[in-house]
Amino acid sequence: KKIDVLVNNAGIAIKGTADIKTEDFEKIIKINLLGAFYVMHEVVPYMKQQRSGHIINMASTAAKDARANLGAYAASKFGLAGYSDALFKELADFNIDVSTLCPGMVATEMSDGSPIPDTEKIQPEDIAESIEYILKLSQHAIVKEIVIKCRKKI
């Protein structure tokens, strides 16, 4: 079995920080952080054995700048970004690259109900092209992190 690329892109957002229900906080952490961890935990041994691979973790601009009323979401994405940073350093000797994408609001179901129209949000194609760019670089170049902001101020 050979695994060249892993893209961890599962995620949910539920509003709340101090007032969030415990079960909602746990759900966010389980999906956004633990879900990515579980997949990486299974994939990394194969990549280490083959001494190659690329892990791309989808964090969020919330991993850089938490928003009020989205504290649980920010906690999950800060955690994912921190874990990715440690993996970036730990797996380098195995020729395994780890990149973190931190997009702002993307035109997906997750951002439905936002006051920003889909046409003014980051497009899913922008994310796909960012991943393609990361994977096309020479073996001597690694993208550690990309932050993609929406032009529209939130």
Side-chain angles (χ1 to χ4, degrees):
K1 198 186 287 196
K2 188 167 191 299
I3 302 172
D4 294 318
V5 179
L6 166 63
V7 178
N8 276 312
N9 189 40
I12 62 165
I14 300 171
K15 288 186 178 183
T17 304
D19 59 344
I20 193 167
K21 291 187 250 172
T22 302
E23 55 269 17
D24 287 342
F25 187 91
E26 290 174 354
K27 184 176 182 180
I28 291 169
I29 296 299
K30 284 179 181 174
I31 292 171
N32 295 3
L33 181 56
L34 288 174
F37 165 77
Y38 294 143
V39 175
M40 287 183 281
H41 189 71
E42 292 298 316
V43 168
V44 166
Y46 290 101
M47 289 182 169
K48 279 183 171 181
Q49 184 178 26
Q50 68 195 27
R51 299 197 63 80
S52 68
H54 202 128
I55 298 170
I56 300 173
N57 288 319
M58 195 65 59
S60 167
T61 54
K64 302 303 209 174
D65 184 26
R67 292 180 54 201
N69 204 28
L70 283 172
Y73 178 73
S76 71
K77 294 303 185 172
F78 267 90
L80 182 59
Y83 191 76
S84 295
D85 187 37
L87 277 181
F88 175 87
K89 296 166 184 162
E90 182 178 317
L91 299 178
D93 289 341
F94 294 93
N95 199 36
I96 301 168
D97 298 336
V98 180
S99 302
T100 306
L101 265 66
C102 298
M105 194 167 298
V106 181
T108 64
E109 287 180 28
M110 193 167 160
S111 69
D112 284 352
S114 156
I116 300 171
D118 281 352
T119 56
E120 295 181 24
K121 297 175 187 172
I122 298 164
Q123 297 304 301
E125 295 81 12
D126 297 324
I127 304 303
E129 287 178 20
S130 298
I131 292 170
E132 186 177 2
Y133 165 75
I134 289 170
L135 296 174
K136 282 186 174 181
L137 294 177
S138 76
Q139 65 181 356
H140 305 292
I142 304 168
V143 172
K144 181 179 178 189
E145 181 179 83
I146 294 178
V147 177
I148 306 170
K149 298 284 284 183
C150 184
R151 285 194 188 276
K152 188 78 171 181
K153 179 130 174 101
I154 300 173

